[in-house]
Amino acid sequence: MTISSPSTRTHAVVIGCSLAGLLAARVLSEHFERVTIFERDPVEDHPASRRGQAQTRHLHGLLAHGFRILTRLFPNLDSQLIHGGATVSDMGEAIRWYHYDGYKVQFKSGLAAVSMSRVFLEWRIRQAVLALPNVSLRAPCPVTHLITHPDRTHVIGVAVASNTAQDQASPILADLVVQTGGRGATPGKWLAQIGFSGPSEDEISVGVGYATRLYRRRPTDLTGAKLVMISPTPPHQKHMAFVFPVEDDRWIVSAGGWLGDHPPTDDAGYREFLRNLPVADVFNVIQHAEPLSDVYTYKFHSSLRRRYERLTRFPEGYLVLGDAVASFNPIYGQGMTSAAMQADVLDSLLRQRVSLEGLWRSFFRKVAKVVDIPWQIAGCEDFRYPETQGRKPPMTDLLNAYLTRVHRATHHDSIVYLQFLRVMNLMASPTSLLHPRIIRRVLGRRSS
Ligand SMILES: Cc1cc2nc3c(=O)[nH]c(=O)nc-3n(C[C@H](O)[C@H](O)[C@H](O)COP(=O)(O)OP(=O)(O)OC[C@H]3O[C@@H](n4cnc5c(N)ncnc54)[C@H](O)[C@@H]3O)c2cc1C
């Protein structure tokens, strides 16, 4: 087996055809002659959830920064989404958000809120990626392991289980292999097979449970807002529910609870859960609405971050991206945007460099910076519950005491709320909430 020159960019392989894989393939298509995506599950040519990505049945909010990256990568995406029934509105105006014992002020923020089902978004992106002349998909076609050069320093391809004989692994050679197999991918095992150590892991246990149901949507169901979010005030409250409009005149409702305190899944129990939230806005939307699905559930045990940037040895020709690097408590809606930002990192590194040699080192270093912020935002909020387990960064309690006042200020102060939204949407650093202009506003009024 030969290693092609480190500057050869003939063929790139992507493992997994979910959102991170599609975004990786889109970016790689500009830098490689050919890109092949391998997906374990059958992939339908319509919006549909697959076994390997069961989370896609649940409500997915797309952060404004993620939407911005997606519309840069796919210039017609916004009009295609709207044409297909997505709702695009101003985030500050559109969301009725009950959070920390009050409603946030509604105002024009300039930030886009796009609402559609996760499967519809992915289907649109998949169509755009697979329309690229140099990208192809093989599915169902699981990758079984990495193939290395005999000196074991380079990944030079992957083995896949062929469609016809699952037990016959056939080698596919590539100059770069990008693992986007999601959180369930076992990168440590694959690395061990080729003589490398896997990354260390940070984990924050959150014990979140989702229960999601679709309902028919009528124009009169909700006035004065387009989306409703009810979030808890930790640590005494553990329940949340969001209702977002999705295509085909439907509502998607995701109810959730932290630390094992999960919503029931029977019809009566589900309704009761929504009725008993601190405010009735979600219940009011669904109480007379026709259910269009069962109640789907999802258990999310912990946020998980794999610290590839700390490795000192890693095979050349191999990268990991998306949930396989970091999966966050989904309630904060960060995963897709994090994947988009990581794909952006890959794109800019491939533009800057001629050689692929050492790419992994710069890539993981920059990806760690991308992941730091959502990881910090999600962890900080989750550590408000004393039962949460994991490595709690110093100053978290102090920061949270201040952020409680930020949350309460968002009930009446649109300038503080805008800055909070910018941070939440990964468009500004969390430290921007400590700018004297914001601190003055947050501390200037007595928090109720
Ligand atoms: C309940 C829940 C709600 C969420 N809500 C939000 C939200 O509101 N907003 C948000 O931005 N994010 C949300 N997320 C996160 C979001 O779903 C992910 O970040 C996003 O899907 C990107 O994941 P991924 O592509 O890295 O991996 P996945 O979506 O997990 O996909 C991995 C893919 O790889 C395939 N695969 C795995 N192994 C192999 C193999 N060996 N060979 C070939 N194929 C393979 C799988 O079949 C699958 O298709 C949520 C997650 C959960 C669990």
Side-chain angles (χ1 to χ4, degrees):
M1 289 179 179
T2 55
I3 308 174
S4 46
S5 139
S7 54
T8 305
R9 297 188 183 188
T10 307
H11 186 212
V13 156
V14 175
I15 306 171
C17 188
S18 185
L19 204 85
L22 289 164
L23 299 182
R26 162 65 186 83
V27 160
L28 292 168
S29 72
E30 292 202 14
H31 303 282
F32 287 79
E33 285 172 28
R34 291 185 298 123
V35 181
T36 312
I37 310 172
F38 291 92
E39 168 57 48
R40 188 171 50 196
D41 293 339
V43 176
E44 313 281 346
D45 189 17
H46 59 84
S49 185
R50 303 192 299 269
R51 201 170 65 90
Q53 33 138 253
Q55 83 276 16
T56 56
R57 286 175 150 182
H58 297 269
L59 183 149
H60 271 62
L62 177 60
L63 301 182
H65 189 47
F67 187 47
R68 190 180 278 184
I69 297 174
L70 293 186
T71 47
R72 183 156 43 74
L73 291 174
F74 307 99
N76 297 325
L77 183 68
D78 49 352
S79 53
Q80 286 174 342
L81 294 175
I82 294 169
H83 184 71
T87 303
V88 180
S89 39
D90 182 277
M91 195 171 280
E93 283 177 334
I95 306 181
R96 180 177 301 153
W97 189 357
Y98 188 85
H99 192 201
Y100 281 83
D101 306 321
Y103 290 99
K104 292 185 189 296
V105 63
Q106 282 176 259
F107 76 110
K108 191 155 190 65
S109 66
L111 301 175
V114 54
S115 181
M116 72 249 118
S117 72
R118 167 67 168 75
V119 288
F120 176 65
L121 174 66
E122 180 176 315
W123 174 63
R124 275 303 190 194
I125 290 176
R126 192 165 66 238
Q127 283 189 317
V129 171
L130 297 183
L132 296 168
N134 60 343
V135 177
S136 59
L137 166 66
R138 284 183 55 185
C141 198
V143 172
T144 55
H145 56 273
L146 302 170
I147 297 176
T148 52
H149 184 266
D151 74 5
R152 290 194 153 198
T153 56
H154 288 66
V155 168
I156 57 164
V158 295
V160 300
S162 91
N163 295 348
T164 44
Q166 289 285 325
D167 51 345
Q168 269 183 6
S170 41
I172 310 286
L173 297 184
D175 305 298
L176 182 66
V177 174
V178 182
Q179 165 68 274
T180 60
R183 177 188 175 123
T186 46
K189 189 172 128 204
W190 284 15
L191 285 169
Q193 283 168 354
I194 58 172
F196 288 83
S197 304
S200 59
E201 294 182 346
D202 288 346
E203 200 166 359
I204 302 175
S205 71
V206 291
V208 162
Y210 262 48
T212 295
R213 194 167 206 188
L214 292 157
Y215 293 87
R216 176 140 359 257
R217 173 163 55 101
R218 295 161 311 174
T220 50
D221 285 340
L222 178 63
T223 51
K226 294 199 167 138
L227 300 72
V228 178
M229 298 175 26
I230 303 173
S231 302
T233 307
H236 57 284
Q237 293 170 359
K238 294 200 174 95
H239 293 166
M240 53 71 69
F242 298 167
V243 53
F244 283 21
V246 297
E247 65 286 354
D248 300 327
D249 295 324
R250 295 171 300 163
W251 292 113
I252 186 165
V253 176
S254 277
W258 270 256
L259 296 153
D261 191 351
H262 298 165
T265 56
D266 62 291
D267 185 62
Y270 192 67
R271 288 169 66 86
E272 205 49 21
F273 179 95
L274 296 176
R275 207 166 63 83
N276 287 334
L277 289 168
V279 289
D281 301 73
V282 173
F283 180 71
N284 290 343
V285 171
I286 64 101
Q287 70 169 318
H288 300 301
E290 176 195 353
L292 297 175
S293 74
D294 294 333
V295 179
Y296 308 123
T297 59
Y298 196 101
K299 302 253 189 286
F300 185 91
H301 171 66
S302 60
S303 299
L304 179 69
R305 180 173 184 185
R306 298 187 172 119
R307 312 299 307 238
Y308 286 97
E309 75 281 9
R310 293 184 179 160
L311 291 171
T312 52
R313 268 186 83 242
F314 197 75
E316 300 292 341
Y318 183 51
L319 299 176
V320 187
L321 188 152
D323 277 20
V325 175
S327 81
F328 314 89
N329 180 347
I331 281 168
Y332 308 110
Q334 300 165 322
M336 298 191 292
T337 298
S338 166
M341 292 167 81
Q342 293 173 41
D344 231 13
V345 165
L346 179 59
D347 189 35
S348 58
L349 284 174
L350 288 172
R351 275 178 208 289
Q352 287 160 20
R353 306 168 63 102
V354 176
S355 170
L356 300 178
E357 205 79 16
L359 175 64
W360 64 272
R361 206 181 283 280
S362 328
F363 176 77
F364 289 130
R365 213 169 30 227
K366 284 184 186 288
V367 160
K369 290 213 167 73
V370 162
V371 169
D372 274 346
I373 305 289
W375 184 261
Q376 184 191 338
I377 292 173
C380 206
E381 197 61 24
D382 288 331
F383 277 119
R384 287 181 185 271
Y385 295 106
E387 306 95 306
T388 301
Q389 287 175 9
R391 202 182 56 78
K392 182 171 167 179
M395 314 276 282
T396 300
D397 292 341
L398 192 65
L399 214 53
N400 273 336
Y402 174 69
L403 287 172
T404 299
R405 304 200 51 168
V406 170
H407 291 315
R408 294 198 194 283
T410 62
H411 297 163
H412 54 78
D413 189 326
S414 60
I415 291 177
V416 174
Y417 185 25
L418 177 60
Q419 201 53 38
F420 172 75
L421 281 177
R422 290 176 53 77
V423 170
M424 185 188 95
N425 281 277
L426 305 181
M427 297 174 115
S429 157
T431 55
S432 65
L433 288 168
L434 296 169
H435 188 283
R437 188 177 65 107
I438 300 294
I439 293 183
R440 266 198 304 275
R441 302 187 77 94
V442 169
L443 302 184
R445 294 177 73 137
R446 245 167 34 87
S447 64
S448 48

